[in-house]
Amino acid sequence: MKNGWSPYLGGVLTGLLLLASVLVTYHWFGKPRYLGTSTAYVKVAGLIEKAISPETVAQNAYYQKKKPAIDWKVMLVLGVPLGAFWAALRNREFNPRWVPGVWRERFGDSPALRALGAFVGGFLLIYGARLAGGCPSGHGLSGMSQLAVSAFIVVAGFFIGGIPLALILYGRRR
Amino acid sequence: MELIVGFVTGILWGYIFQRARIVRFEKHAGLLTLTDLTVLKFLLSAVIVGAIGIQLFTTLGLAPYHLKPTHMAANLVGGIIYGLGWALLGYCPGTMGGAIGEGSFDALFGILGGLLGAMAYAHTYPFWKKTLLAVGNYGKIHLPALLHLPPLGVGVIFAALLLAFIVFLEKMGW
C-alpha cells in the first residue's frame, strides 16, 4: 500500500486529462470527446453479436444508435489496463489474485463464487449504466463537469443502490 | 489518428487509476460501506478541475458541451441498478480493466458480465424507450440554463462547494 498517490493528486490529474481530451479531440477531429467508458461495452457487444448474426444487429434500434465499431471510446477503455499494468510493474505492485480480501472475509476463498458475483455485478453495472445513460466517468466526471442535470440524478442513484447492498454484503468495518 | 489519441488517453488514465488506488476492490467496497472515501475524493477533485475548466472552455468558445439528455426516471432507476452491480462487483466500468492490469483477475468476469449486460440492454431498449425513458424527459439541459445564471459562475460556485465538502471530510477525519 506504500508509495501510492494521494487521491486528490489522481483526481486533479484526471480533471486535467478530461480538459486536454476535450480540447485536443475537438480541435483535431471536430468532435469533443468527453471521458466515458460504459458505451465501449455496447460497441464491443455489438461487434460480437454482429459476428454471430449481422441481421440482428442491423435491425436493433440501440445498435443503430450506438454503431458497433472499434472507436475512440473502445480504444480508451483498452488503454486503461495497459496503463495500470505499466504503473503496477514500475512500482512492483502487480499481484495476481482471483478473490479480493474483503470478499474473502465474507464469502470465503472460492474463485468460482467470486467469479459468479463479479459476473452478475458486471451485468447489472453495464445494464444500469446504459439505462441511466452513463457511468461514474460519463455522468460522474464528464456530466457533473458540464453541470448536466442528468448527471446529478444518476450519481444519486449510484449511491441509493450501492450503499445499502454493500452494507448488507460487507458490513461496516473500519 | 483519433483511435491512437483515445488509446494514449486510456493508458495515461490507467496509470493514474493505479497510482491513486482507484482500481482496487477494497476502495470501492470502502466507499459504499462509508469506511474509505478514496474513490469519492478522487472523483470530486477531478470534477472541481473539470467543472471550472469545461465551463471556461464553453464560455470562451474553445469547445462545446456534449450533454447527456435528462430522462428523470431512467436516470434514477438505471443509476440504482448500476449501484447494485457496483456493490457486488467492487469495480466500475472504467477501472475494471485497470484492476486486471494490477492482477485482480476476478475483474475479467465483471467485463464478461458487462458485455452480456450491454447485449441485454440493446435488446430490451425498445421496451424502456416506450416506458421509463419517456418519463420526465427534459432533453439536454444543464444547471446554469435551469437557474438562468452564467455557466462559468455556476461552475465556480459548484467547485467551491465540492472543495468545502472535501475540507469538511478531512476535518472529520474521513
Side-chain angles (χ1 to χ4, degrees), chain A residues 26-45:
Chain A
Y26 179 60
H27 289 275
W28 288 6
F29 314 115
K31 187 179 175 222
R33 292 292 195 171
Y34 283 85
L35 300 179
T37 53
S38 66
T39 311
Y41 290 80
V42 179
K43 303 259 168 182
V44 175

Side-chain angles (χ1 to χ4, degrees), chain A residues 1 8 93 114 127 146 170, chain B residues 21 66 87 89 124 128 170:
Chain A
M1 281 309 214
Y8 301 120
E93 288 186 334
R114 172 55 192 157
Y127 192 94
Q146 295 179 78
Y170 312 117
Chain B
R21 279 74 180 95
H66 185 72
L89 176 61
T124 47
W128 296 120
E170 290 295 332

Side-chain angles (χ1 to χ4, degrees), chain A residues 1-5 7-8 10-19 22-23 26-29 31-35 37 41-42 44-45 48-49 56 60-63 65 70-72 75-76 78-88 90-91 93-98 100-103 114-115 117-141 144-150 152-154 157-163 165-167 169-174, chain B residues 1-3 5-7 9-21 23-27 29 31-35 38 40-43 45-47 49-51 53-55 57-58 62-70 72 74-94 96-98 100-106 108-125 128 132-133 141-144 146 151 154-155 158 166 170 173-174:
Chain A
M1 281 309 214
K2 54 190 184 304
N3 77 10
W5 292 350
Y8 301 120
V12 168
L13 289 176
T14 293
L16 294 174
L17 190 66
L18 168 70
L19 298 180
V22 167
L23 218 51
Y26 179 60
H27 289 275
W28 288 6
F29 314 115
K31 187 179 175 222
R33 292 292 195 171
Y34 283 85
L35 300 179
T37 53
Y41 290 80
V42 179
V44 175
I48 296 170
E49 272 199 74
T56 319
N60 184 292
Y62 198 64
Y63 286 139
K65 215 166 95 123
I70 302 288
D71 68 350
W72 179 91
M75 294 308 287
L76 175 78
L78 288 178
V80 169
L82 209 67
F85 182 58
W86 173 32
R90 273 195 63 180
N91 297 280
E93 288 186 334
F94 184 80
N95 293 314
R97 63 174 184 179
W98 291 89
V102 177
W103 176 280
R114 172 55 192 157
F119 187 82
V120 174
F123 182 96
L124 293 172
L125 191 84
I126 300 298
Y127 192 94
R130 290 333 305 157
L131 179 58
C135 62
S137 47
H139 268 307
L141 171 62
M144 287 207 290
S145 291
Q146 295 179 78
L147 305 170
V149 173
S150 50
F152 293 95
I153 304 171
V154 175
F158 292 162
F159 290 102
I160 295 172
I163 291 175
L165 182 59
L167 287 172
L169 289 176
Y170 312 117
R172 191 180 151 81
R173 285 156 303 143
R174 268 197 189 254
Chain B
M1 187 61 197
E2 194 180 18
L3 296 183
V5 171
F7 194 52
T9 309
I11 292 173
L12 293 173
W13 211 13
Y15 193 95
I16 298 169
F17 280 161
Q18 197 281 337
R19 294 283 68 211
R21 279 74 180 95
V23 294
R24 295 195 179 151
F25 177 95
E26 285 72 16
K27 297 294 177 186
L31 170 60
L32 294 177
T33 53
L34 307 176
T35 50
T38 304
L40 186 70
K41 292 172 179 175
F42 179 95
L43 179 64
S45 38
V47 175
V49 174
I54 296 296
Q55 303 308 322
F57 286 176
T58 53
L62 291 174
Y65 290 115
H66 185 72
L67 291 168
K68 290 178 188 285
T70 298
M72 294 270 207
N75 287 152
L76 186 65
V77 174
I80 293 172
I81 295 173
Y82 176 97
L84 299 174
W86 192 14
L88 257 176
L89 176 61
Y91 304 115
C92 60
M96 240 190 306
I100 296 171
E102 210 188 32
S104 298
F105 299 125
D106 53 321
L108 278 169
F109 297 97
I111 290 177
L112 292 178
L115 289 173
L116 194 67
M119 283 178 195
Y121 184 73
H123 292 281
T124 47
Y125 171 69
W128 296 120
L132 272 192
L133 283 162
I141 50 168
H142 71 159
L143 278 185
L146 212 63
V154 179
F158 178 54
I166 287 177
E170 290 295 332
W174 230 315

